[in-house]
């Protein structure tokens, strides 16, 4: 069963005081905290098996290679990819988007269309704009309604045989809204377009099944799912990864190099030039194990309780407005107080030991849509509590008294 005090004991940072107050960490959508088992695994790697992988015949190199490849296999199993070589280790979601957008430069022609949603993080917008500049392709935007839900009728109208790729996040980082990606993937495939899913905000809350979704690419970051920074995964269907050219040249990604011609290694090495974040890749597997040991059913049930509780309590505050009011949401509450700049709210809650995010959350088009400079975003993880939400509500009330 889910025992919140036992879970919290796994996260040493949570016992910290900030300005003499207990830390309340509600910035989980920016990065998650790390359990002791993950911290220990980093230390264990460097203490016991640190060596470069894939090339050494010596014992440590074999141990490190085995651990790295076992982690890849673990992640393959976790997301239900068909083959381990369809799971590429990256530095994070941003890296994954750039790898694919860069590869499509060799496929797209002037006038081809890329569909992106208005709900995207900048890292799932800018690489596609750069791709358009390079190729003459055209970027089209899937609009949303006032609840922060993508409008499916409009989406379907935008699709045509000109559409070559559709890119959308599984869950919005700014609003927490869950997008109907299964439907979107089906519709895109009907016109022959590939689909890229930005899963950065999904993987801390659910176990994606890439084969059931039938997406062509699925990218996420390790650091938002209890893993180290500078880690991530790009899943790609084998036929797409075979078709795309390498993103970076260097060691590890080659079969043979002469000055006349270089031939590339097979998957996944073709996309993994240079010495990777070996410790990070291994420890990401540890983070996945930990999440599975807590159980995604438990995580979802508990986080939903926090979402419902937090929404109810915050809405009791006069003049507080929540952005992102879809029924299908993860534990993210983005809000503003009437007549108060979000930054000022964040500065006051900070002094009370509460970490929230303020600003545009790397999603300026969403803020432009609502005509606001930004929001205050409280994003809950399964190690947060209702008492912490009470502390947030009290601090927001205090901010209102001081500022409104
Ligand atoms: C955080 C985030 C990204 C970028 O992830 P990095 O770890 O900074 O590369 C992209 N998309 C979404 C939805 C995110 O939440």
């Amino acid at each position: 069963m889910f025992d919140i005090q036992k879970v919290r004991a796994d996260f040493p940072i949570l016992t910290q005081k900030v300005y003499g107050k207990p830390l309340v960490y509600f910035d989980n959508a920016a990065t998650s905290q790390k359990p002791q088992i993950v911290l220990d695994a980093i230390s264990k790697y460097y203490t016991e098996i640190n060596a470069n992988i894939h090339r050494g015949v010596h014992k440590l190199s074999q141990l490190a290679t085995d651990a790295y490849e076992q982690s890849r296999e673990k992640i393959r199993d976790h997301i239900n990819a068909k083959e381990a070589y369809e799971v590429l280790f990256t530095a994070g979601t941003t890296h994954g988007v750039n790898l694919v957008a860069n590869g499509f430069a060799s496929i797209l022609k002037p006038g081809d269309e890329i569909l992106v949603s208005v709900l995207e993080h900048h890292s799932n917008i800018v690489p596609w704009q750069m791709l358009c500049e390079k190729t003459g392709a055209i970027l089209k935007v899937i609009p949303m309604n006032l609840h922060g839900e993508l409008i499916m009728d409009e989406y379907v109208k935008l699709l045509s045989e000109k559409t070559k790729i559709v890119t959308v996040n599984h869950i919005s980082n700014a609003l927490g809204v869950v997008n109907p990606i299964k439907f979107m993937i089906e519709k895109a495939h009907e016109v022959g377009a590939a689909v890229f899913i930005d899963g950065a905000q999904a993987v801390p809350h659910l176990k994606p099944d890439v084969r059931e979704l039938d997406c062509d690419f699925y990218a996420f970051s390790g650091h938002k799912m209890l893993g180290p920074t500078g880690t991530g995964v790009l899943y790609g269907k084998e036929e797409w990864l075979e078709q795309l050219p390498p993103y970076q040249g260097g060691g590890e990604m080659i079969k043979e190099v002469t000055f006349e011609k270089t031939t590339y290694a097979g998957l996944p090495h073709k996309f993994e030039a240079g010495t990777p974040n070996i410790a990070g890749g291994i420890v990401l597997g540890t983070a996945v194990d930990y999440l599975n040991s807590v159980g995604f059913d438990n995580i979802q049930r508990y986080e939903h309780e926090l979402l419902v509780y937090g929404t109810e309590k915050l809405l009791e505050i006069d003049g507080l407005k929540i952005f992102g009011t879809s029924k299908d949401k993860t534990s993210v509450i983005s809000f503003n107080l009437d007549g108060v700049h979000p930054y000022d709210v964040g500065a006051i809650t900070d002094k009370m030991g509460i970490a929230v995010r303020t600003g545009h959350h790397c999603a300026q088009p969403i803020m432009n849509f609502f005509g606001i400079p930004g929001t205050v975003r409280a994003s809950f993880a399964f190690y947060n509590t209702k008492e912490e939400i009470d502390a947030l509500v009290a601090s927001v009330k205090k901010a209102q008294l001081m500022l409104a």
Side-chain angles (χ1 to χ4, degrees):
M1 267 329 293
F2 185 77
D3 176 349
I4 180 63
Q5 289 314 325
K6 190 161 161 292
V7 164
R8 284 179 69 80
D10 291 337
F11 292 81
I13 206 170
L14 298 179
T15 58
Q16 269 201 33
K17 295 236 154 99
V18 174
Y19 305 113
K21 309 259 171 33
L23 167 68
V24 173
Y25 187 76
F26 283 161
D27 197 15
N28 294 288
T31 198
S32 71
Q33 296 303 346
K34 321 301 173 199
Q36 188 66 48
I37 196 172
V38 162
L39 304 176
D40 289 346
I42 296 171
S43 167
K44 188 173 160 69
Y45 168 79
Y46 285 113
T47 313
E48 295 177 8
I49 62 167
N50 175 51
N52 212 330
I53 54 171
H54 296 144
R55 334 167 209 228
V57 287
H58 62 81
K59 184 67 184 168
L60 287 191
S61 176
Q62 287 171 28
L63 289 174
T65 303
D66 287 351
Y68 194 67
E69 293 307 322
Q70 276 162 18
S71 178
R72 194 193 304 273
E73 169 55 27
K74 191 177 288 175
I75 293 161
R76 181 209 64 73
D77 182 59
H78 184 70
I79 65 175
N80 195 29
K82 185 147 167 267
E83 306 290 351
Y85 53 74
E86 295 175 315
V87 174
L88 310 181
F89 280 118
T90 64
T93 308
T94 305
H95 181 185
V97 183
N98 279 279
L99 188 157
V100 175
N102 187 75
F104 266 79
S106 65
I107 295 174
L108 297 191
K109 309 210 166 21
D112 282 346
E113 292 179 359
I114 301 170
L115 295 194
V116 60
S117 97
V118 66
L119 269 181
E120 299 311 305
H121 188 284
H122 294 162
S123 72
N124 197 26
I125 300 174
V126 181
W128 303 109
Q129 287 175 322
M130 292 163 72
L131 174 61
C132 287
E133 271 173 34
K134 252 188 261 177
T135 60
I138 295 158
L139 197 71
K140 297 230 160 158
V141 183
I142 307 159
M144 66 175 168
N145 64 24
L146 283 168
H147 296 291
E149 297 162 330
L150 297 179
I151 305 171
M152 285 303 107
D153 288 352
E154 299 293 327
Y155 167 60
V156 171
K157 274 191 236 156
L158 283 168
L159 285 167
S160 75
E161 61 282 14
K162 284 193 205 148
T163 315
K164 292 298 176 268
I165 187 156
V166 173
T167 183
V168 64
N169 58 42
H170 195 163
I171 295 175
S172 154
N173 66 303
L175 307 180
V177 173
V178 182
N179 292 313
I181 58 168
K182 178 115 173 81
F183 173 80
M184 295 179 77
I185 292 163
E186 259 173 50
K187 287 290 163 194
H189 285 167
E190 282 173 17
V191 298
V195 184
F196 183 98
I197 302 295
D198 169 353
Q201 292 296 332
V203 288
H205 308 291
L206 57 86
K207 205 169 128 119
D209 184 328
V210 294
R211 266 191 287 176
E212 206 254 327
L213 288 169
D214 197 28
C215 53
D216 300 286
F217 301 98
Y218 194 102
F220 55 93
S221 300
H223 70 95
K224 290 179 181 173
M225 59 182 308
L226 317 186
T229 52
T231 64
V233 166
L234 172 67
Y235 159 80
K237 275 187 189 161
E238 179 175 3
E239 53 268 38
W240 276 114
L241 294 180
E242 288 294 352
Q243 202 183 328
L244 297 185
Y247 177 45
Q248 292 182 312
E252 194 88 0
M253 54 76 73
I254 52 89
K255 194 150 96 197
E256 200 178 332
V257 176
T258 67
F259 282 108
E260 288 69 44
K261 185 172 171 55
T262 290
T263 48
Y264 304 129
L267 296 174
H269 307 296
K270 179 173 113 178
F271 291 106
E272 294 183 349
T275 301
N277 182 351
I278 303 167
I282 294 170
V283 174
L284 182 51
T286 311
V288 165
D289 280 343
Y290 179 83
L291 281 166
N292 281 316
S293 76
V294 177
F296 281 93
D297 287 352
N298 287 327
I299 290 173
Q300 279 169 21
R301 191 177 333 108
Y302 182 70
E303 287 180 346
H304 186 71
E305 264 179 49
L306 293 180
L307 173 68
V308 170
Y309 184 78
T311 304
E312 195 182 290
K313 292 287 164 188
L314 282 168
L315 283 177
E316 284 171 9
I317 300 173
D318 264 351
L320 185 143
K321 180 167 180 207
I322 292 178
F323 298 88
T325 46
S326 169
K327 274 186 207 70
D328 212 357
K329 263 183 74 169
T330 46
S331 46
V332 171
I333 306 179
S334 228
F335 64 91
N336 272 335
L337 285 175
D338 246 2
V340 181
H341 197 282
Y343 177 84
D344 296 333
V345 178
I348 288 173
T349 58
D350 171 52
K351 291 291 180 293
M352 300 174 76
I354 300 167
V356 291
R357 191 75 151 194
T358 65
H360 54 62
H361 318 299
C362 298
Q364 282 179 352
I366 300 179
M367 304 304 139
N368 294 342
F369 172 84
F370 287 114
I372 52 176
T375 68
V376 182
R377 181 187 69 186
S379 49
F380 312 134
F382 59 91
Y383 44 72
N384 289 128
T385 65
K386 289 184 184 169
E387 291 72 33
E388 290 180 316
I389 292 175
D390 292 338
L392 170 70
V393 172
S395 74
V396 172
K397 284 183 179 159
K398 184 170 169 189
Q400 189 174 45
L401 274 178
M402 290 170 69
L403 300 166

